[in-house]
Amino acid sequence: MITVNLIGYGNVASHLLTAFQKTDSVKVLQIYTRNIPENLPKNTVFVHAIEDLEPADVVLLTVTDDTIAEVSENLPFRNRLVVHTSGSMNLKTLHEKNRRGVWYPLQTFTKGREISLKKTPICVEAEDEKDLQLLQTLAGLISKEVHVISSEERKKLHLAAVWGNNFSNHLFHQAALFLEANDLSFELLKPLLFETVQKLETLSPEKAQTGPAIRGDHNTIEAQLHLLPEGIQRELYTLFTESIIQTFKNERLGKKL
Amino acid sequence: MITVNLIGYGNVASHLLTAFQKTDSVKVLQIYTRNIPENLPKNTVFVHAIEDLEPADVVLLTVTDDTIAEVSENLPFRNRLVVHTSGSMNLKTLHEKNRRGVWYPLQTFTKGREISLKKTPICVEAEDEKDLQLLQTLAGLISKEVHVISSEERKKLHLAAVWGNNFSNHLFHQAALFLEANDLSFELLKPLLFETVQKLETLSPEKAQTGPAIRGDHNTIEAQLHLLPEGIQRELYTLFTESIIQTFKNERLGKKL
């Protein structure tokens, strides 16, 4: 049995709580958060003062990136294993009075939307070998994808996640705005979006690339540019077209980007 | 029973053939293609000469965009219903000696990868009302999403599809190249990509937007820019960041893009 305390109770914490509660091998002892929710989740103990946290095997800090340093410095205990859950912050952001680690689930969490973590990579890091093993065990109880990842590597993974999630979502947003401006429904596009990602199961994005840019179809490119309003949408279209052409040209030349 | 002939036998045609063969209400009579495949799909008749095509209710042209005009002009028959399957080409690209229509499945098709067309929007258009009804009936036999869409609207839908499919796939490609260059596996990113699209079932892309740009987290943005090599990846990162900030600023101001 691994005991866990949670500090902070936002989106990530509530999803982790759900996952932990599904295994008999993890016990979430207490949760500390400044604003205790009105509807308490089942079988949980929320504490009003951080001093009330009893020792647990792992203290999971799920606070925002910019408060990790301060919150970890102000913890009223020492020498416990304290880990943050951020993609972009170095392990050393945590104050050194406690044993430090990172436990980063590489996933996007949506309030009210349950998601299986079985395939979600959990990136773990710790200064102490035994702590690392414990974090691996904890991760292995809810996911099949446990990876030891350094702070440097994690920073890069997080950047790739910004491309894969934030930027692609923004593309969908722009497509939705464009359709809306032309009285067409974004719903029409969704099956295509699902399949675009699903096909990555069997095909690399390199092999999956299609469209006017990779075909070098300048007539369609010109026609499409003129359908877009001047401004950011046209800039994005132009840069993507350029980038697709350039990327495949470089690959043919065997250049690494 | 609706009878169909196919002209051209590429990726789209083979997927449509599979879908048509699953319903008893469609009969694919003959398929004409310049290069007849070595392994013929079951229960099909390929013809070597276009003159051998017998009359069918619908002649589906699945040739490339830039050959639609020529192929349709050279058809050795008149007054049949001939429809193309392209997203970007006007109905009038087809030669007027036949009755014209469009039957555009808004989806990305991958060779060897079967896909259910039940939810795939099929956009139909025809000059004649009876022809339009026939195309709707044919589409309704394999999809629940049948939409009458004009050539003008379809062109815009196709542009949105370029954003949603080609451009997002290119983002995944860039993320894969970046990870590869840093000895990290693209596999780690896939569960995030799946969930990014899956969550659109319950959340608009506007509401789903997260990340450093929308948070205005300049420290992370600066740090991430420096992880990227100079060149197109940095340009894309910069433009996306700008676009996300600008889009949400405009939305707050109630401006339409």
Side-chain angles (χ1 to χ4, degrees), chain A residues 108 110 170 195 199 243, chain B residues 108 110 113 170 195 199 243:
Chain A
T108 171
T110 309
H170 183 60
E195 177 60 14
K199 71 198 287 186
S243 181
Chain B
T108 172
T110 310
R113 184 180 152 81
H170 183 61
E195 176 61 14
K199 72 199 285 185
S243 181

Side-chain angles (χ1 to χ4, degrees), chain B residues 150-169:
Chain B
S150 72
S151 284
E152 279 308 303
E153 290 170 323
R154 186 163 31 79
K155 213 159 63 179
K156 288 166 184 166
L157 264 180
H158 183 249
L159 171 50
V162 166
W163 286 78
N165 172 281
N166 303 167
F167 291 175
S168 64
N169 184 73

Side-chain angles (χ1 to χ4, degrees), chain A residues 96-123:
Chain A
E96 59 187 354
K97 70 181 175 184
N98 281 291
R99 282 148 39 222
R100 303 184 283 195
V102 180
W103 202 89
Y104 167 54
L106 180 40
Q107 189 48 282
T108 171
F109 297 100
T110 309
K111 207 179 157 185
R113 182 178 154 80
E114 210 179 311
I115 168 181
S116 161
L117 291 176
K118 270 282 161 253
K119 291 181 181 171
T120 292
I122 298 183
C123 307

Side-chain angles (χ1 to χ4, degrees), chain B residues 10 20 35 54 58 62 69 120 126 174 209 220 235 238 241:
Chain B
F20 288 145
N35 303 304
E54 289 157 26
V58 183
T62 65
T120 292
Q174 289 292 356
Q209 190 65 50
T220 301
E235 283 177 54
T238 304
T241 301

Side-chain angles (χ1 to χ4, degrees), chain B residues 14-53:
Chain B
S14 75
H15 280 88
L16 293 183
L17 177 65
T18 306
F20 288 145
Q21 288 186 331
K22 282 190 180 150
T23 158
D24 295 334
S25 310
V26 182
K27 170 88 186 147
V28 176
L29 297 181
Q30 296 162 305
I31 303 169
Y32 168 75
T33 178
R34 232 177 301 181
N35 303 304
I36 296 181
E38 288 192 16
N39 298 311
L40 292 188
K42 273 187 205 166
N43 306 319
T44 52
V45 179
F46 281 76
V47 296
H48 289 269
I50 204 158
E51 287 75 17
D52 294 340
L53 287 177

